[in-house]
Amino acid sequence: MADKLKVTLIKSPIAAVPKNRKTVAALGLRKLNSSNVLPDNDAVRGMIRHVSHMVKVEEL
């Protein structure tokens, strides 16, 4: 596993389920194409898995 993950929002959460909208916000993503560098742990991986259709992930 990598040390850090770069998560980028590629799809708008406007029409998403409210739970998915909150997950995107918890990942620190606000606008389209915004990115955030997060630690690579099980909690973050689980959140990414729930919104995988809306984000792009790169290992750093």
Side-chain angles (χ1 to χ4, degrees):
M1 288 183 8
D3 259 359
K4 304 272 185 182
L5 297 173
K6 181 179 179 183
V7 184
T8 306
L9 186 64
I10 58 170
K11 185 178 177 198
S12 175
I14 290 174
V17 178
K19 183 177 180 180
N20 287 353
R21 269 188 252 152
K22 290 180 182 179
T23 303
V24 168
L27 287 170
L29 305 173
R30 301 183 194 283
K31 297 181 178 183
L32 279 181
N33 298 318
S34 65
S35 297
N36 198 7
V37 177
L38 301 166
D40 187 6
N41 58 36
D42 291 338
V44 172
R45 290 267 180 176
M47 293 194 313
I48 290 171
R49 187 170 45 249
H50 282 289
V51 293
S52 62
H53 58 287
M54 297 185 343
V55 297
K56 178 177 74 171
V57 180
E58 300 172 35
E59 293 185 351
L60 299 178

Short mmCIF file of all heavy atoms in Angstrom, two decimals:
data_model
loop_
_atom_site.label_atom_id
_atom_site.label_comp_id
_atom_site.label_asym_id
_atom_site.label_seq_id
_atom_site.Cartn_x
_atom_site.Cartn_y
_atom_site.Cartn_z
N MET A 1 0.83 -1.19 0.00
CA MET A 1 0.00 0.00 0.00
C MET A 1 0.88 1.25 0.00
O MET A 1 1.97 1.26 0.55
CB MET A 1 -0.91 0.02 1.23
CG MET A 1 -2.01 -1.00 1.13
SD MET A 1 -3.26 -1.12 2.43
CE MET A 1 -3.05 0.20 3.50
N ALA A 2 0.35 2.29 -0.61
CA ALA A 2 1.07 3.55 -0.68
C ALA A 2 0.89 4.33 0.62
O ALA A 2 0.02 4.02 1.44
CB ALA A 2 0.56 4.36 -1.86
N ASP A 3 1.71 5.35 0.81
CA ASP A 3 1.59 6.19 2.00
C ASP A 3 0.39 7.12 1.92
O ASP A 3 -0.32 7.31 2.89
CB ASP A 3 2.85 7.05 2.15
CG ASP A 3 3.80 6.49 3.17
OD1 ASP A 3 3.48 5.46 3.77
OD2 ASP A 3 4.86 7.11 3.36
N LYS A 4 0.20 7.70 0.74
CA LYS A 4 -0.85 8.71 0.55
C LYS A 4 -1.66 8.39 -0.70
O LYS A 4 -1.18 7.72 -1.61
CB LYS A 4 -0.23 10.09 0.38
CG LYS A 4 0.66 10.53 1.50
CD LYS A 4 -0.13 11.22 2.56
CE LYS A 4 0.84 11.76 3.63
NZ LYS A 4 0.14 12.38 4.69
N LEU A 5 -2.89 8.88 -0.73
CA LEU A 5 -3.77 8.74 -1.89
C LEU A 5 -4.22 10.13 -2.32
O LEU A 5 -4.61 10.95 -1.48
CB LEU A 5 -5.01 7.91 -1.55
CG LEU A 5 -4.79 6.46 -1.16
CD1 LEU A 5 -6.10 5.85 -0.69
CD2 LEU A 5 -4.22 5.68 -2.31
N LYS A 6 -4.16 10.39 -3.62
CA LYS A 6 -4.69 11.65 -4.16
C LYS A 6 -6.06 11.33 -4.75
O LYS A 6 -6.18 10.55 -5.69
CB LYS A 6 -3.77 12.21 -5.23
CG LYS A 6 -4.25 13.51 -5.81
CD LYS A 6 -3.30 14.05 -6.84
CE LYS A 6 -3.81 15.34 -7.43
NZ LYS A 6 -2.93 15.83 -8.50
N VAL A 7 -7.10 11.93 -4.19
CA VAL A 7 -8.47 11.69 -4.60
C VAL A 7 -8.98 12.92 -5.32
O VAL A 7 -8.88 14.03 -4.81
CB VAL A 7 -9.37 11.38 -3.38
CG1 VAL A 7 -10.76 11.03 -3.80
CG2 VAL A 7 -8.77 10.26 -2.54
N THR A 8 -9.53 12.73 -6.54
CA THR A 8 -10.03 13.83 -7.36
C THR A 8 -11.50 13.58 -7.68
O THR A 8 -11.87 12.48 -8.09
CB THR A 8 -9.23 13.94 -8.67
OG1 THR A 8 -7.85 14.04 -8.35
CG2 THR A 8 -9.66 15.14 -9.48
N LEU A 9 -12.32 14.61 -7.51
CA LEU A 9 -13.75 14.51 -7.82
C LEU A 9 -13.95 14.70 -9.32
O LEU A 9 -13.57 15.73 -9.88
CB LEU A 9 -14.53 15.58 -7.04
CG LEU A 9 -16.04 15.53 -7.14
CD1 LEU A 9 -16.58 14.24 -6.53
CD2 LEU A 9 -16.65 16.72 -6.42
N ILE A 10 -14.54 13.69 -9.99
CA ILE A 10 -14.71 13.78 -11.44
C ILE A 10 -16.17 13.80 -11.85
O ILE A 10 -16.48 14.00 -13.02
CB ILE A 10 -14.01 12.61 -12.16
CG1 ILE A 10 -14.52 11.27 -11.67
CG2 ILE A 10 -12.51 12.70 -12.01
CD1 ILE A 10 -14.06 10.10 -12.51
N LYS A 11 -17.10 13.59 -10.91
CA LYS A 11 -18.53 13.63 -11.22
C LYS A 11 -19.23 14.41 -10.13
O LYS A 11 -18.93 14.24 -8.95
CB LYS A 11 -19.07 12.21 -11.32
CG LYS A 11 -20.51 12.15 -11.75
CD LYS A 11 -21.01 10.74 -11.89
CE LYS A 11 -22.48 10.76 -12.26
NZ LYS A 11 -23.14 9.50 -12.01
N SER A 12 -20.18 15.23 -10.51
CA SER A 12 -20.87 16.08 -9.56
C SER A 12 -21.75 15.26 -8.60
O SER A 12 -22.47 14.36 -9.03
CB SER A 12 -21.76 17.07 -10.31
OG SER A 12 -22.53 17.82 -9.39
N PRO A 13 -21.70 15.59 -7.31
CA PRO A 13 -22.55 14.89 -6.34
C PRO A 13 -23.95 15.48 -6.20
O PRO A 13 -24.70 15.08 -5.32
CB PRO A 13 -21.76 15.04 -5.04
CG PRO A 13 -21.03 16.33 -5.21
CD PRO A 13 -20.71 16.43 -6.68
N ILE A 14 -24.33 16.41 -7.08
CA ILE A 14 -25.63 17.09 -6.94
C ILE A 14 -26.79 16.10 -6.97
O ILE A 14 -27.67 16.14 -6.13
CB ILE A 14 -25.80 18.16 -8.04
CG1 ILE A 14 -24.85 19.32 -7.76
CG2 ILE A 14 -27.23 18.66 -8.10
CD1 ILE A 14 -24.84 20.37 -8.85
N ALA A 15 -26.80 15.19 -7.94
CA ALA A 15 -27.92 14.26 -8.08
C ALA A 15 -27.66 12.94 -7.35
O ALA A 15 -28.41 11.99 -7.52
CB ALA A 15 -28.19 13.99 -9.55
N ALA A 16 -26.63 12.89 -6.53
CA ALA A 16 -26.28 11.66 -5.83
C ALA A 16 -27.15 11.46 -4.59
O ALA A 16 -27.81 12.39 -4.12
CB ALA A 16 -24.81 11.69 -5.44
N VAL A 17 -27.10 10.26 -4.06
CA VAL A 17 -27.78 9.93 -2.81
C VAL A 17 -27.17 10.80 -1.70
O VAL A 17 -25.96 11.03 -1.70
CB VAL A 17 -27.58 8.43 -2.51
CG1 VAL A 17 -28.22 8.04 -1.20
CG2 VAL A 17 -28.10 7.59 -3.65
N PRO A 18 -27.97 11.29 -0.76
CA PRO A 18 -27.42 12.15 0.30
C PRO A 18 -26.25 11.53 1.06
O PRO A 18 -25.31 12.23 1.42
CB PRO A 18 -28.62 12.37 1.22
CG PRO A 18 -29.80 12.26 0.32
CD PRO A 18 -29.43 11.22 -0.70
N LYS A 19 -26.27 10.23 1.27
CA LYS A 19 -25.15 9.58 1.96
C LYS A 19 -23.87 9.72 1.15
O LYS A 19 -22.79 9.94 1.72
CB LYS A 19 -25.49 8.10 2.18
CG LYS A 19 -24.45 7.34 2.95
CD LYS A 19 -24.89 5.92 3.18
CE LYS A 19 -23.85 5.14 3.96
NZ LYS A 19 -24.26 3.75 4.18
N ASN A 20 -23.96 9.60 -0.17
CA ASN A 20 -22.78 9.75 -1.02
C ASN A 20 -22.29 11.19 -1.03
O ASN A 20 -21.09 11.45 -1.09
CB ASN A 20 -23.06 9.29 -2.44
CG ASN A 20 -23.17 7.79 -2.56
OD1 ASN A 20 -22.91 7.06 -1.61
ND2 ASN A 20 -23.57 7.31 -3.72
N ARG A 21 -23.21 12.15 -0.97
CA ARG A 21 -22.83 13.56 -0.93
C ARG A 21 -22.02 13.84 0.34
O ARG A 21 -21.02 14.55 0.31
CB ARG A 21 -24.06 14.46 -0.94
CG ARG A 21 -24.46 14.86 -2.33
CD ARG A 21 -25.55 15.90 -2.28
NE ARG A 21 -26.77 15.23 -2.71
CZ ARG A 21 -27.97 15.56 -2.35
NH1 ARG A 21 -28.17 16.56 -1.52
NH2 ARG A 21 -29.01 14.91 -2.80
N LYS A 22 -22.46 13.28 1.45
CA LYS A 22 -21.75 13.49 2.71
C LYS A 22 -20.38 12.82 2.69
O LYS A 22 -19.42 13.33 3.26
CB LYS A 22 -22.59 12.95 3.87
CG LYS A 22 -23.81 13.79 4.14
CD LYS A 22 -24.62 13.23 5.29
CE LYS A 22 -25.88 14.06 5.50
NZ LYS A 22 -26.71 13.52 6.59
N THR A 23 -20.29 11.67 2.03
CA THR A 23 -19.01 10.97 1.93
C THR A 23 -18.02 11.80 1.11
O THR A 23 -16.85 11.91 1.48
CB THR A 23 -19.20 9.58 1.31
OG1 THR A 23 -20.13 8.85 2.10
CG2 THR A 23 -17.89 8.83 1.25
N VAL A 24 -18.48 12.38 0.01
CA VAL A 24 -17.62 13.23 -0.82
C VAL A 24 -17.14 14.42 0.00
O VAL A 24 -15.96 14.79 -0.04
CB VAL A 24 -18.36 13.68 -2.09
CG1 VAL A 24 -17.60 14.78 -2.81
CG2 VAL A 24 -18.57 12.50 -3.02
N ALA A 25 -18.03 15.02 0.77
CA ALA A 25 -17.64 16.16 1.61
C ALA A 25 -16.65 15.72 2.69
O ALA A 25 -15.70 16.46 3.00
CB ALA A 25 -18.88 16.77 2.25
N ALA A 26 -16.84 14.53 3.24
CA ALA A 26 -15.92 14.03 4.27
C ALA A 26 -14.53 13.75 3.70
O ALA A 26 -13.54 13.82 4.43
CB ALA A 26 -16.49 12.77 4.89
N LEU A 27 -14.45 13.47 2.42
CA LEU A 27 -13.16 13.29 1.76
C LEU A 27 -12.48 14.63 1.48
O LEU A 27 -11.36 14.66 1.01
CB LEU A 27 -13.33 12.50 0.45
CG LEU A 27 -13.64 11.02 0.60
CD1 LEU A 27 -14.03 10.43 -0.75
CD2 LEU A 27 -12.46 10.27 1.19
N GLY A 28 -13.17 15.73 1.73
CA GLY A 28 -12.59 17.06 1.54
C GLY A 28 -12.72 17.58 0.13
O GLY A 28 -11.98 18.47 -0.27
N LEU A 29 -13.67 17.03 -0.65
CA LEU A 29 -13.85 17.43 -2.04
C LEU A 29 -15.06 18.34 -2.15
O LEU A 29 -16.15 18.00 -1.67
CB LEU A 29 -14.02 16.19 -2.92
CG LEU A 29 -12.89 15.17 -2.81
CD1 LEU A 29 -13.24 13.92 -3.57
CD2 LEU A 29 -11.59 15.75 -3.28
N ARG A 30 -14.89 19.50 -2.77
CA ARG A 30 -15.98 20.46 -2.85
C ARG A 30 -16.46 20.68 -4.28
O ARG A 30 -17.64 20.58 -4.55
CB ARG A 30 -15.54 21.79 -2.25
CG ARG A 30 -15.12 21.67 -0.80
CD ARG A 30 -14.77 23.02 -0.22
NE ARG A 30 -14.07 22.92 1.03
CZ ARG A 30 -14.66 22.64 2.19
NH1 ARG A 30 -15.93 22.44 2.24
NH2 ARG A 30 -13.94 22.58 3.30
N LYS A 31 -15.57 21.00 -5.18
CA LYS A 31 -15.95 21.30 -6.56
C LYS A 31 -15.41 20.23 -7.50
O LYS A 31 -14.52 19.46 -7.13
CB LYS A 31 -15.39 22.66 -6.97
CG LYS A 31 -15.93 23.81 -6.17
CD LYS A 31 -15.34 25.11 -6.68
CE LYS A 31 -15.94 26.29 -5.92
NZ LYS A 31 -15.43 27.57 -6.44
N LEU A 32 -15.94 20.21 -8.71
CA LEU A 32 -15.42 19.28 -9.71
C LEU A 32 -13.94 19.52 -9.94
O LEU A 32 -13.47 20.67 -9.91
CB LEU A 32 -16.16 19.46 -11.05
CG LEU A 32 -17.51 18.78 -11.17
CD1 LEU A 32 -18.09 19.04 -12.54
CD2 LEU A 32 -17.41 17.31 -10.91
N ASN A 33 -13.21 18.46 -10.14
CA ASN A 33 -11.76 18.47 -10.37
C ASN A 33 -10.96 18.94 -9.17
O ASN A 33 -9.77 19.19 -9.29
CB ASN A 33 -11.40 19.30 -11.61
CG ASN A 33 -11.99 18.72 -12.86
OD1 ASN A 33 -11.98 17.50 -13.05
ND2 ASN A 33 -12.56 19.56 -13.70
N SER A 34 -11.60 19.07 -8.00
CA SER A 34 -10.83 19.38 -6.80
C SER A 34 -10.17 18.10 -6.31
O SER A 34 -10.71 17.00 -6.47
CB SER A 34 -11.72 19.98 -5.72
OG SER A 34 -12.68 19.04 -5.28
N SER A 35 -9.00 18.24 -5.73
CA SER A 35 -8.24 17.08 -5.26
C SER A 35 -7.89 17.25 -3.80
O SER A 35 -7.84 18.36 -3.27
CB SER A 35 -6.95 16.94 -6.06
OG SER A 35 -7.23 16.70 -7.40
N ASN A 36 -7.63 16.12 -3.16
CA ASN A 36 -7.20 16.13 -1.77
C ASN A 36 -6.27 14.95 -1.57
O ASN A 36 -6.51 13.87 -2.10
CB ASN A 36 -8.41 16.03 -0.84
CG ASN A 36 -8.08 16.45 0.57
OD1 ASN A 36 -7.01 16.93 0.84
ND2 ASN A 36 -9.03 16.26 1.46
N VAL A 37 -5.22 15.17 -0.81
CA VAL A 37 -4.28 14.09 -0.49
C VAL A 37 -4.62 13.58 0.89
O VAL A 37 -4.66 14.34 1.86
CB VAL A 37 -2.82 14.61 -0.55
CG1 VAL A 37 -1.86 13.51 -0.14
CG2 VAL A 37 -2.49 15.11 -1.94
N LEU A 38 -4.90 12.28 0.97
CA LEU A 38 -5.35 11.66 2.21
C LEU A 38 -4.43 10.50 2.57
O LEU A 38 -3.79 9.91 1.69
CB LEU A 38 -6.78 11.15 2.03
CG LEU A 38 -7.83 12.19 1.68
CD1 LEU A 38 -9.09 11.53 1.20
CD2 LEU A 38 -8.10 13.06 2.88
N PRO A 39 -4.38 10.13 3.85
CA PRO A 39 -3.59 8.96 4.23
C PRO A 39 -4.23 7.69 3.71
O PRO A 39 -5.45 7.61 3.56
CB PRO A 39 -3.61 9.00 5.76
CG PRO A 39 -4.83 9.78 6.11
CD PRO A 39 -5.01 10.77 4.99
N ASP A 40 -3.40 6.71 3.42
CA ASP A 40 -3.90 5.43 2.90
C ASP A 40 -4.18 4.51 4.07
O ASP A 40 -3.29 3.86 4.60
CB ASP A 40 -2.87 4.82 1.95
CG ASP A 40 -3.39 3.58 1.26
OD1 ASP A 40 -4.58 3.27 1.42
OD2 ASP A 40 -2.62 2.93 0.55
N ASN A 41 -5.45 4.48 4.50
CA ASN A 41 -5.85 3.57 5.57
C ASN A 41 -7.21 2.96 5.23
O ASN A 41 -7.82 3.30 4.23
CB ASN A 41 -5.86 4.27 6.93
CG ASN A 41 -6.78 5.47 6.95
OD1 ASN A 41 -7.83 5.48 6.34
ND2 ASN A 41 -6.37 6.51 7.67
N ASP A 42 -7.66 2.04 6.06
CA ASP A 42 -8.89 1.32 5.77
C ASP A 42 -10.12 2.23 5.74
O ASP A 42 -11.03 2.03 4.94
CB ASP A 42 -9.10 0.21 6.79
CG ASP A 42 -8.09 -0.91 6.64
OD1 ASP A 42 -7.52 -1.04 5.54
OD2 ASP A 42 -7.88 -1.65 7.62
N ALA A 43 -10.16 3.24 6.60
CA ALA A 43 -11.31 4.13 6.65
C ALA A 43 -11.45 4.92 5.34
O ALA A 43 -12.54 5.03 4.78
CB ALA A 43 -11.19 5.08 7.83
N VAL A 44 -10.34 5.46 4.88
CA VAL A 44 -10.36 6.24 3.63
C VAL A 44 -10.66 5.33 2.45
O VAL A 44 -11.45 5.68 1.57
CB VAL A 44 -9.02 6.99 3.44
CG1 VAL A 44 -8.96 7.64 2.08
CG2 VAL A 44 -8.84 8.01 4.55
N ARG A 45 -10.07 4.14 2.43
CA ARG A 45 -10.34 3.19 1.34
C ARG A 45 -11.82 2.83 1.29
O ARG A 45 -12.41 2.69 0.22
CB ARG A 45 -9.51 1.93 1.50
CG ARG A 45 -8.04 2.12 1.26
CD ARG A 45 -7.69 1.83 -0.15
NE ARG A 45 -6.25 2.01 -0.38
CZ ARG A 45 -5.68 1.74 -1.51
NH1 ARG A 45 -6.37 1.26 -2.51
NH2 ARG A 45 -4.39 1.95 -1.67
N GLY A 46 -12.46 2.67 2.44
CA GLY A 46 -13.88 2.34 2.48
C GLY A 46 -14.74 3.48 1.94
O GLY A 46 -15.70 3.25 1.21
N MET A 47 -14.39 4.71 2.29
CA MET A 47 -15.14 5.86 1.79
C MET A 47 -14.97 5.98 0.28
O MET A 47 -15.94 6.26 -0.44
CB MET A 47 -14.70 7.15 2.48
CG MET A 47 -15.04 7.18 3.94
SD MET A 47 -14.93 8.78 4.78
CE MET A 47 -13.40 9.44 4.28
N ILE A 48 -13.76 5.73 -0.21
CA ILE A 48 -13.52 5.79 -1.65
C ILE A 48 -14.31 4.71 -2.37
O ILE A 48 -14.86 4.94 -3.45
CB ILE A 48 -12.01 5.67 -1.94
CG1 ILE A 48 -11.29 6.94 -1.48
CG2 ILE A 48 -11.75 5.41 -3.41
CD1 ILE A 48 -9.79 6.84 -1.51
N ARG A 49 -14.40 3.53 -1.78
CA ARG A 49 -15.13 2.43 -2.41
C ARG A 49 -16.61 2.77 -2.57
O ARG A 49 -17.24 2.43 -3.57
CB ARG A 49 -14.95 1.15 -1.59
CG ARG A 49 -15.54 -0.07 -2.24
CD ARG A 49 -15.17 -1.39 -1.57
NE ARG A 49 -15.28 -1.36 -0.12
CZ ARG A 49 -14.24 -1.41 0.72
NH1 ARG A 49 -13.01 -1.49 0.26
NH2 ARG A 49 -14.42 -1.37 2.02
N HIS A 50 -17.19 3.50 -1.62
CA HIS A 50 -18.61 3.86 -1.70
C HIS A 50 -18.90 4.89 -2.78
O HIS A 50 -20.00 4.90 -3.33
CB HIS A 50 -19.10 4.39 -0.35
CG HIS A 50 -19.38 3.31 0.65
ND1 HIS A 50 -20.44 2.46 0.53
CD2 HIS A 50 -18.71 2.94 1.75
CE1 HIS A 50 -20.43 1.61 1.53
NE2 HIS A 50 -19.37 1.87 2.29
N VAL A 51 -17.94 5.74 -3.08
CA VAL A 51 -18.16 6.77 -4.10
C VAL A 51 -17.19 6.59 -5.26
O VAL A 51 -16.80 7.57 -5.91
CB VAL A 51 -18.05 8.19 -3.51
CG1 VAL A 51 -19.19 8.47 -2.56
CG2 VAL A 51 -16.71 8.41 -2.84
N SER A 52 -16.80 5.36 -5.55
CA SER A 52 -15.79 5.10 -6.59
C SER A 52 -16.24 5.54 -7.97
O SER A 52 -15.41 5.81 -8.83
CB SER A 52 -15.46 3.60 -6.61
OG SER A 52 -16.60 2.85 -6.95
N HIS A 53 -17.55 5.63 -8.20
CA HIS A 53 -18.06 6.07 -9.50
C HIS A 53 -17.94 7.59 -9.67
O HIS A 53 -18.15 8.10 -10.76
CB HIS A 53 -19.51 5.64 -9.67
CG HIS A 53 -20.43 6.17 -8.61
ND1 HIS A 53 -20.42 5.67 -7.33
CD2 HIS A 53 -21.35 7.14 -8.65
CE1 HIS A 53 -21.34 6.33 -6.62
NE2 HIS A 53 -21.90 7.24 -7.40
N MET A 54 -17.59 8.30 -8.61
CA MET A 54 -17.50 9.76 -8.68
C MET A 54 -16.09 10.31 -8.49
O MET A 54 -15.87 11.50 -8.65
CB MET A 54 -18.42 10.39 -7.62
CG MET A 54 -19.86 10.05 -7.87
SD MET A 54 -21.12 10.80 -6.83
CE MET A 54 -20.35 11.42 -5.43
N VAL A 55 -15.15 9.46 -8.14
CA VAL A 55 -13.80 9.93 -7.86
C VAL A 55 -12.75 9.15 -8.64
O VAL A 55 -13.00 8.04 -9.09
CB VAL A 55 -13.45 9.86 -6.34
CG1 VAL A 55 -14.36 10.75 -5.54
CG2 VAL A 55 -13.51 8.43 -5.85
N LYS A 56 -11.59 9.78 -8.79
CA LYS A 56 -10.42 9.13 -9.39
C LYS A 56 -9.34 9.10 -8.30
O LYS A 56 -9.13 10.10 -7.60
CB LYS A 56 -9.94 9.93 -10.59
CG LYS A 56 -8.70 9.35 -11.26
CD LYS A 56 -8.32 10.15 -12.48
CE LYS A 56 -7.69 11.48 -12.07
NZ LYS A 56 -7.09 12.24 -13.16
N VAL A 57 -8.65 7.96 -8.18
CA VAL A 57 -7.67 7.80 -7.10
C VAL A 57 -6.30 7.51 -7.70
O VAL A 57 -6.17 6.69 -8.61
CB VAL A 57 -8.09 6.64 -6.17
CG1 VAL A 57 -7.08 6.47 -5.05
CG2 VAL A 57 -9.48 6.86 -5.62
N GLU A 58 -5.30 8.19 -7.17
CA GLU A 58 -3.91 7.95 -7.56
C GLU A 58 -3.11 7.69 -6.29
O GLU A 58 -3.29 8.37 -5.29
CB GLU A 58 -3.32 9.18 -8.26
CG GLU A 58 -4.04 9.60 -9.50
CD GLU A 58 -3.51 10.93 -10.02
OE1 GLU A 58 -2.28 11.18 -9.90
OE2 GLU A 58 -4.32 11.72 -10.51
N GLU A 59 -2.21 6.71 -6.34
CA GLU A 59 -1.34 6.42 -5.20
C GLU A 59 -0.10 7.30 -5.32
O GLU A 59 0.48 7.43 -6.38
CB GLU A 59 -0.96 4.96 -5.16
CG GLU A 59 -2.13 4.05 -4.88
CD GLU A 59 -1.73 2.60 -4.73
OE1 GLU A 59 -0.56 2.26 -5.02
OE2 GLU A 59 -2.60 1.81 -4.35
N LEU A 60 0.30 7.90 -4.20
CA LEU A 60 1.50 8.74 -4.18
C LEU A 60 2.59 8.06 -3.41
O LEU A 60 2.39 7.29 -2.54
CB LEU A 60 1.19 10.10 -3.54
CG LEU A 60 0.13 10.94 -4.24
CD1 LEU A 60 -0.09 12.22 -3.47
CD2 LEU A 60 0.53 11.25 -5.65
#
